[in-house]
Amino acid sequence: MKTKPLYLDDSYLKEMNAEVLEVLPEGEGTYRVILDQTVFYPMGGGQATDQGILTGDNWSGEVYQVINRDGEIWHFVKATTAPTVGIKVRGIINWDRRYKNMKLHSAGHIIDFAMFLLGYSPKTLVPLKADHNKNPHIVYQGTLEEDIKQKLADKTNELVAKNLKFTWYFQPLEDLKKEAIYLIPGLPTNKPLRTLKLDGVGAVADGGTQVKNTSEVGKIKIESIEKEEGLTIIKYSIAD
Ligand SMILES: [Zn+2]
């Protein structure tokens, strides 16, 4: 049973009402709960899982992990009893945690757009993967001879200072191709793709939550640029 992912349309939504569609025992005092819709972002695309609470009539649980299995979003919940299938619940995410994750995620994309504007990505260095968690970093296939740390920090923070707008929307692959700075391999062709666009720069395919504009992230620090087995790893951080 598919879950409607409310966080894909509105990254700033903190609460929702939902219906419990399915409940599976997970372990001692823990359950897997599938809802008809959710604001809880499931771990993925380098962004950490949301956490928070679900409450219903005479029932409440603590969401500690969320994952997406082919559109079915599982909320891993600690609770004294299992929720009953069919009950209505209210879900509230831990906003401080989400907002930090969202800013870290957008920061990674700002660095990636800066790498594009500097002419290194996607040709010389091919975007490979990213992690926007405890040790935020983005990884490119390929390496450079020159040291670009200062240049990248300047371009990244120039984008932050410009207060550029981020927008996100769904469109067919054909339309995304026209505005994308690159496309990661293996994108589905049979459904609309979520697009993340940075005003005046370009777009990429993306499934995570994002802030509305670059200045919201604040100053981004390029911690290091490391070379490892033909890869370039850019480590970064943002202010708390
Ligand atoms: Zn992303």
Side-chain angles (χ1 to χ4, degrees), residues 45 105 109 132 206 208 210:
H105 180 216
H109 280 281
H132 314 288
D206 190 73
Q210 304 282 353

Side-chain angles (χ1 to χ4, degrees), residues 63-110:
V63 180
Y64 62 95
Q65 168 92 321
V66 187
I67 61 170
N68 185 343
R69 281 278 175 277
D70 303 321
E72 209 171 69
I73 298 173
W74 298 350
H75 302 73
F76 289 79
V77 177
K78 269 183 222 155
T80 45
T81 57
T84 311
V85 170
I87 66 160
K88 302 274 193 271
V89 290
R90 181 126 189 106
I92 305 172
I93 57 171
N94 175 339
W95 176 249
D96 288 348
R97 177 190 162 92
R98 151 69 85 75
Y99 193 49
K100 177 81 193 285
N101 289 338
M102 204 155 111
K103 286 197 287 186
L104 276 171
H105 180 216
S106 295
H109 280 281
I110 296 170

Side-chain angles (χ1 to χ4, degrees), residues 110 114 152-162 218-222:
I110 296 170
L152 179 59
D154 291 346
K155 182 55 87 178
T156 298
N157 286 295
E158 184 189 309
L159 293 177
V160 171
K162 277 184 175 167
K219 193 169 162 45
I220 299 169
K221 188 176 178 200
I222 304 298

Side-chain angles (χ1 to χ4, degrees), residues 38 44 91 99 120-121 143 185 192:
T38 192
Y99 193 49
Y120 299 117
S121 165
T143 56

Side-chain angles (χ1 to χ4, degrees), residues 2 70-71 170-174 187-194:
K2 301 248 187 223
D70 303 321
F170 287 87
Q171 64 181 349
L173 181 59
E174 283 312 304
L187 288 171
T189 53
N190 60 343
K191 60 177 185 186
L193 293 166
R194 186 153 171 282

